[in-house]
Amino acid sequence: VREINRILAEVTAQLRLHREEVAVGLEALGRLDAFAAIGRLANELEAHVPALNDNGEIRLVRARNPVLALHFKQEQASREVVALDVDLGGAEAHTLVITGPNAGGKSVAMKTVGVLCLMAQCGIPIPCDPGTSVPLFTRLFVDLGDRQSIQEDLSTFTSHLTSITQMLADADDRSLVLIDEAGTGTDPAEGGALAQAVLERLTRQGARTIATTHHGTLKAFAHTADGVVNGSMQFDRDTLAPTYHFQSGIPGSSYAFEIAERVGLDREVVEAARLLVGEGKSALEDLIADFERQTLQAEARKDEAEAQLAEANHIRADYEQRLGRIREERERLKAEALEQAEQIVSGANAAVENTIREIKEADAEREATKAARKQLEATRETITKKRKKVVRAVERSQQAPGIDAASGSIQPGDQVQIAGSTAVGEVVKLDEKEAVVAFGSMTSRAKLKRLTKVGGPTNQKVEIRVPSPSTATQSIALTRVRIDVRGQRVEEAIPEIMRFVDDAVSASAPSVEILHGKGTGALRSAIREHLASREDIGSFDSAPWNQGGDGVTLVVLS
């Protein structure tokens, strides 16, 4: 033992030289241990860091009592803590009066607010949802439970008054005051009046105050006084069981008679008590109970309506996306159709150039040639303009998804009416304040506020029209009049020649030339055999010797 003491004394003497470093390390270790404990507690409670404010507002979103939450977890109970939503200290009210039945959760709700505010003051995350905001109070005054004392000659009422006296002397707008069962411990009428006066003073001093009570006078006071609001704990009157759900702005009934019947108190005694309390008091309690039931039904309908609205918005968004894709596809098809029209015109242009060359060689009228060229250029210009318009529409549809035909803001292509008129026009151009509206061949400018949308863009058809010829020369100018099938096999040449003749007949060409060459004569015989079977062929024969002779067949169309 002496050796052990000697060793300990020696080690202690050596450590004494480093006592300051050890103290600093011990303090740091304690802080780290506290931070680690806070982190584990936050994970256990699924807590969040609340926002802090300097306006004294307490806003709790789905707050849970941490003591109950840990208790349920330790017991591995299937129950969950009922969440609490509280908004106090804003522009409307600084004082909250909570009423409701015994064992309904009034005191737990009040304690939850106090504990969470203290946790936030200590830098501990609190079990709540995002959106929660609490102030940093400088003082917390609490009057909970019965602190009567024989030694100190304190009754229940006297102990309450001692706490309240300190509250009234020191509470200010940076204080949180919690009073459980305000006005109890003395005559109900006098206790209720005294509690009301205390709450009035605390409200004027700006203290954030929460008080629980059963006094009906305080319910009426909270309903009419500025800066004070009612709150209650819901109670299922059918099952006579508390739901522990807090509801703001609604006073609660004590349900004393219903609870008395549930625990087995003689029914005659309960009915006698109802008579003693008076019809007015009983009717008021019944009215509050009916109001609570209607509130529950309204909340259930509200939740159902919100669910249906969310589903409707989802369906609407889906259909808007579908409509946008349909419009994009429609514009794409229009663009493709106009692209094909351009290709047709380009092919027609080549054919026209060839025909013009042949007409010139045959000394045809120059005026007919000019007319054919002018008509073709006009057609090409029209199709080009349409193509540009479609491209712009496609770009707009890609930037902004489509909307319902008769809803949303006005867009180019929409059908509208101008105020004071029943005529329906189409918006062709749009700026910030005005729109250009087409009514048939006429256009008009109008202020946007004078327009009423009556429909979306109308279905449009893209048609490729070949201008109707006014003269035989123009028909020839737009149609091939000569085909060259030299070197082709019979099975290849015949279908191509038949399509060539069909086009010429459709264009009312008077005659065409088929250049097949002389060769063995097999291709010429097969061509003429097929020509002889057609009723729309007037006659055919070999060309004059100076135009190809037997190597060319001249066909006269009927």
Side-chain angles (χ1 to χ4, degrees):
V1 174
R2 287 196 300 270
E3 184 63 20
I4 291 174
N5 290 335
R6 185 189 65 79
I7 293 173
L8 291 176
E10 185 177 341
V11 171
T12 302
Q14 293 177 2
L15 286 176
R16 188 180 297 113
L17 300 176
H18 305 282
R19 61 181 181 274
E20 294 183 359
E21 293 90 335
V22 172
V24 172
L26 183 61
E27 182 180 358
L29 183 62
R31 288 179 177 272
L32 291 175
D33 186 57
F35 293 152
I38 290 174
R40 289 195 299 270
L41 178 64
N43 290 334
E44 187 79 8
L45 296 175
E46 299 179 1
H48 290 85
V49 177
L52 301 179
N53 64 73
D54 56 2
N55 58 9
E57 182 178 9
I58 302 173
R59 175 171 294 176
L60 301 180
V61 180
R62 290 191 54 78
R64 283 86 65 189
N65 187 288
V67 178
L68 286 178
L70 293 175
H71 176 69
F72 290 160
K73 282 183 176 292
Q74 290 174 357
E75 290 190 347
Q76 296 182 348
S78 59
R79 293 185 298 169
E80 293 185 356
V81 179
V82 178
L84 174 69
D85 292 310
V86 173
D87 195 348
L88 179 67
E92 294 184 359
H94 291 172
T95 300
L96 171 64
V97 177
I98 304 178
T99 53
N102 287 312
K106 300 188 302 298
S107 298
V108 173
M110 181 178 64
K111 292 175 182 179
T112 300
V113 177
V115 170
L116 296 188
C117 287
L118 281 178
M119 290 176 66
Q121 299 264 138
C122 297
I124 303 175
I126 63 179
C128 63
D129 282 5
T132 296
S133 177
V134 295
L136 295 178
F137 292 108
T138 58
R139 293 185 179 183
L140 173 62
F141 298 95
V142 181
D143 180 34
L144 297 174
D146 185 357
R147 292 187 303 231
Q148 61 179 324
S149 172
I150 297 176
Q151 291 82 0
E152 297 180 12
D153 193 24
L154 288 176
S155 66
T156 299
F157 181 63
T158 304
S159 65
H160 283 302
L161 289 181
T162 301
S163 298
I164 290 173
T165 300
Q166 184 181 359
M167 294 176 185
L168 296 179
D170 299 332
D172 56 19
D173 60 353
R174 301 294 296 178
S175 302
L176 175 62
V177 178
L178 306 178
I179 304 175
D180 192 28
E181 299 296 346
T184 59
T186 186
D187 178 79
E190 295 177 354
L194 187 59
Q196 178 176 335
V198 169
L199 294 180
E200 287 178 346
R201 170 70 69 84
L202 291 173
T203 303
R204 287 198 304 269
Q205 292 177 192
R208 275 54 179 173
T209 305
I210 301 178
T212 67
T213 186
H214 286 283
H215 285 289
T217 56
L218 294 183
K219 299 176 187 179
F221 161 70
H223 181 70
T224 58
D226 293 335
V228 187
V229 64
N230 268 307
S232 61
M233 308 305 297
Q234 291 180 355
F235 191 80
D236 191 335
R237 196 172 186 180
D238 296 330
T239 62
L240 297 178
T243 66
Y244 304 111
H245 285 282
F246 174 78
Q247 49 190 3
S248 179
I250 302 173
S253 174
S254 296
Y255 291 99
F257 299 138
E258 289 82 0
I259 295 175
E261 289 181 347
R262 186 185 66 175
V263 300
L265 188 63
D266 188 276
R267 188 176 183 84
E268 290 185 2
V269 174
V270 174
E271 292 301 325
R274 288 183 186 273
L275 294 175
L276 290 174
V277 81
E279 295 183 359
K281 173 70 173 179
S282 180
L284 177 61
E285 292 293 324
D286 291 341
L287 179 63
I288 293 176
D290 289 341
F291 186 59
E292 288 180 347
R293 183 169 58 252
Q294 293 176 10
T295 301
L296 289 175
Q297 294 175 353
E299 289 182 353
R301 292 174 182 173
K302 177 186 175 183
D303 293 340
E304 182 181 358
E306 288 179 348
Q308 292 178 352
L309 178 62
E311 182 180 2
N313 288 334
H314 177 73
I315 295 174
R316 175 185 173 85
D318 180 55
Y319 276 101
E320 286 180 350
Q321 292 179 355
R322 292 186 184 184
L323 181 58
R325 289 195 294 268
I326 290 173
R327 287 181 174 173
E328 291 177 8
E329 180 66 14
R330 183 191 65 187
E331 300 298 343
R332 185 185 65 79
L333 293 176
K334 289 168 62 178
E336 289 181 357
L338 291 175
E339 186 70 27
Q340 293 175 3
E342 279 191 343
Q343 294 177 1
I344 292 173
V345 172
S346 298
N349 182 50
V352 167
E353 293 296 335
N354 183 47
T355 302
I356 290 175
R357 178 180 57 78
E358 294 178 356
I359 291 175
K360 287 182 178 180
E361 292 176 355
D363 294 331
E365 294 182 2
R366 299 183 64 183
E367 292 299 326
T369 302
K370 291 180 179 180
R373 184 186 295 274
K374 184 176 181 182
Q375 187 67 34
L376 177 64
E377 291 299 329
T379 303
R380 292 183 62 192
E381 183 178 355
T382 300
I383 294 179
T384 300
K385 289 181 179 179
K386 288 184 177 180
R387 183 180 183 278
K388 290 181 178 179
K389 182 178 179 181
V390 171
V391 169
R392 288 195 298 268
V394 171
E395 290 175 351
R396 286 196 302 270
S397 64
Q398 291 174 347
Q399 293 174 357
I403 57 176
D404 291 340
S407 66
S409 59
I410 296 175
Q411 299 293 336
D414 289 342
Q415 306 300 302
V416 297
Q417 286 181 334
I418 298 179
S421 173
T422 59
V424 177
E426 179 179 344
V427 178
V428 297
K429 189 177 180 182
L430 192 67
D431 55 29
E432 294 183 357
K433 296 182 179 180
E434 292 186 334
V436 177
V437 184
F439 297 91
S441 60
M442 298 177 58
T443 60
S444 175
R445 296 189 68 88
K447 299 288 185 181
L448 287 179
K449 61 183 180 181
R450 297 188 62 226
L451 298 181
T452 301
K453 182 176 177 180
V454 296
T458 57
N459 295 328
Q460 300 178 4
K461 296 181 179 179
V462 178
E463 298 181 357
I464 304 170
R465 297 181 178 178
V466 177
S468 58
S470 58
T471 64
T473 305
Q474 289 181 1
S475 298
I476 297 173
L478 296 175
T479 308
R480 291 190 300 167
V481 294
R482 185 182 179 89
I483 186 172
D484 187 352
V485 295
R486 288 177 297 180
Q488 296 184 14
R489 296 192 298 272
V490 172
E491 58 270 19
E492 296 174 345
I494 294 301
E496 185 177 351
I497 292 172
M498 293 301 103
R499 287 194 296 271
F500 164 71
V501 174
D502 289 339
D503 292 341
V505 171
S506 299
S508 301
S511 62
V512 295
E513 298 179 7
I514 303 175
L515 177 59
H516 44 69
K518 295 180 180 180
T520 61
L523 181 57
R524 177 184 60 204
S525 300
I527 292 172
R528 294 183 177 182
E529 181 179 352
H530 280 81
L531 291 175
S533 64
R534 296 184 58 130
E535 297 181 355
D536 51 4
I537 302 298
S539 63
F540 57 87
D541 201 353
S542 297
W545 65 270
N546 60 348
Q547 295 182 17
D550 290 337
V552 177
T553 297
L554 295 179
V555 182
V556 178
L557 304 176
S558 58

